[in-house]
Amino acid sequence: MQATELTGVPRAAQRALTRTDYKTLGLAALGGALEFYDFIIFVFFAPAIGQLFFPHDIPDWLRQLQTFGIFAAGYLARPLGGVIMAHFGDLVGRKRMFTLSVLLMSVPTLLMGCLPTYDTIGMLAPVLLLLFRILQGAAVGGEVPGAWVFVSEHVPARHVGYACGMLTAGLTAGILLGSLVAAGVNSRYSSAEVTAFAWRIPFLLGGVFGLFSVYLRRWLHETPVFAEMKARKALAAEIPLKAVLRDHGRAVIVSMMLTWMLSAAIVVVILMTPTLLQKQFHIAPATTLFANSVATLCLTAGCVVAGSLAGRLGAKRVIAIGGLLLAACYALLHARVAADASSLPLFYGIAGFTVGTVGAIPYVMVRSFPAVVRFSGISFSYNVAYAVFGGLTPVIVSLMMKSNPLAPVIYVAAICVLGAIAVLFSKDAR
């Protein structure tokens, strides 16, 4: 059987996507959206969680520090969880780890919604909250690279870019869903009601829908690539990560640089910008959050477009041009808002669409590592880089803003240029 490296299907069978392919993409994207929703919903209710899970007599700054410290623990757990799940994904199967990641996310989320507070069980409350958050981080560390690998190995080679873009769009849709649910809860209930009980609703919903996603994923099949490798007894003969670090250093470095670009685009443009605009231009929070929802929706569409173009025109061209457009549009956003705040939704939406360039990045990653160590290669590169760069980005931007109010624009532009250069050194695995 002559199979392509990437898909495991005959080169002559570069067919159109079938109903089964769309079903696979739909279930994968849905699970990814729900998992990202579960992962980020914590931050929207951090004030209520801080009041309920820590002693009442500690200073507010310490309460906030401890609350966001637990939130950050999820990011720190991503590399370890991702590497372990990828190890078994390369050895025992993509589907098993793909299903396990959703289960590992939904159960802790459901338990968070049922967790007794500090007034009920004392210090055990924040300890359990920290444990559940670590489990969430381990789950998302396996979900993102696992999902990219899973969908890319199911579809024909000419549709891999579209599949990766669709999956990435699903992940970003989870952020939008979290934002909308949080807005709905806060508009329906008063602040006292949110603190008393309503903060639990998003966690309970996320846990239930996550378990439903686990059920749906049982209908997915193992990827043709892994099935063929298993049949030919061509699975990794050693620890996959060892082979990645020894034989694929160039792919690891390029993937890490592109992950830096991805994290800068998401963290700065999507997550930090609403707060930055409120402080810098004194725009009402409701206005910036509405514009952020518009930008995130446009980001979801941009991911699909960028992924599709990467498969047709080449990822190097899409990422290089898209990165430069992102830098320009983000600078334009700040310039236009400084002149007329009413233009915020329009220009934030345009900037959000160009952030969708990151939808082409997983296409480069899945092509950079051979199938036998693909899961481990992507998981290590992506999760380690995201934990480092994603965690440091807010700190770096905040420090830069002390001397230059345009620091967010400068940072995003610099990292986009770095990503455009890095992608030129990417190479298809053979």
Side-chain angles (χ1 to χ4, degrees), residues 192-225:
E193 290 174 325
V194 169
T195 303
F197 66 90
W199 70 271
R200 297 182 184 273
I201 296 175
F203 290 91
L204 296 174
L205 287 175
V208 171
F209 285 129
L211 292 176
F212 179 64
S213 182
V214 173
Y215 173 77
L216 291 178
R217 283 191 176 183
R218 66 194 290 266
W219 302 108
L220 296 175
H221 301 287
E222 184 56 81
T223 72
V225 170

Side-chain angles (χ1 to χ4, degrees), residues 319-357:
I319 293 175
I321 296 176
L324 297 178
L325 283 175
L326 168 57
C329 289
Y330 191 50
L332 179 63
L333 166 64
H334 280 257
R336 293 299 302 172
V337 171
D340 179 13
S342 65
S343 63
L344 174 60
L346 172 63
F347 287 96
Y348 203 176
I350 295 172
F353 183 81
T354 58
V355 172
T357 299

Side-chain angles (χ1 to χ4, degrees), residues 160-178:
V160 169
Y162 171 76
C164 289
M166 276 288 294
L167 197 284
T168 308
L171 300 178
T172 61
I175 300 175
L176 178 61
L177 179 62

Side-chain angles (χ1 to χ4, degrees), residues 136-341:
Q136 283 187 323
V140 81
E143 167 69 18
V144 178
W148 287 334
V149 170
F150 191 83
V151 298
S152 69
E153 292 184 351
H154 263 290
V155 301
R158 68 191 182 100
H159 294 295
V160 169
Y162 171 76
C164 289
M166 276 288 294
L167 197 284
T168 308
L171 300 178
T172 61
I175 300 175
L176 178 61
L177 179 62
S179 176
L180 294 176
V181 169
V185 169
N186 281 284
S187 63
R188 172 66 178 80
Y189 299 99
S190 66
S191 297
E193 290 174 325
V194 169
T195 303
F197 66 90
W199 70 271
R200 297 182 184 273
I201 296 175
F203 290 91
L204 296 174
L205 287 175
V208 171
F209 285 129
L211 292 176
F212 179 64
S213 182
V214 173
Y215 173 77
L216 291 178
R217 283 191 176 183
R218 66 194 290 266
W219 302 108
L220 296 175
H221 301 287
E222 184 56 81
T223 72
V225 170
F226 186 86
E228 184 189 350
M229 289 192 301
K230 185 176 181 180
R232 291 191 288 110
K233 301 186 184 302
L235 301 177
E238 58 182 342
I239 298 175
L241 182 57
K242 178 181 178 181
V244 168
L245 297 177
R246 184 190 63 225
D247 302 328
H248 304 285
R250 175 176 176 177
V252 168
I253 293 173
V254 170
S255 297
M256 284 185 164
M257 292 299 99
L258 292 178
T259 300
W260 193 358
M261 176 180 172
L262 183 152
S263 67
I266 297 295
V267 172
V268 178
V269 182
I270 300 300
L271 299 182
M272 293 182 64
T273 293
T275 301
L276 295 176
L277 293 176
Q278 292 169 30
K279 293 181 178 180
Q280 188 169 356
F281 300 109
H282 307 290
I283 301 175
T287 302
T288 61
L289 291 175
F290 169 75
N292 181 257
S293 296
V294 173
T296 307
L297 183 62
C298 292
L299 160 62
T300 303
C303 286
V304 179
V305 173
S308 300
L309 290 177
R312 295 175 179 272
L313 305 178
K316 294 182 180 180
R317 185 179 304 173
V318 171
I319 293 175
I321 296 176
L324 297 178
L325 283 175
L326 168 57
C329 289
Y330 191 50
L332 179 63
L333 166 64
H334 280 257
R336 293 299 302 172
V337 171
D340 179 13

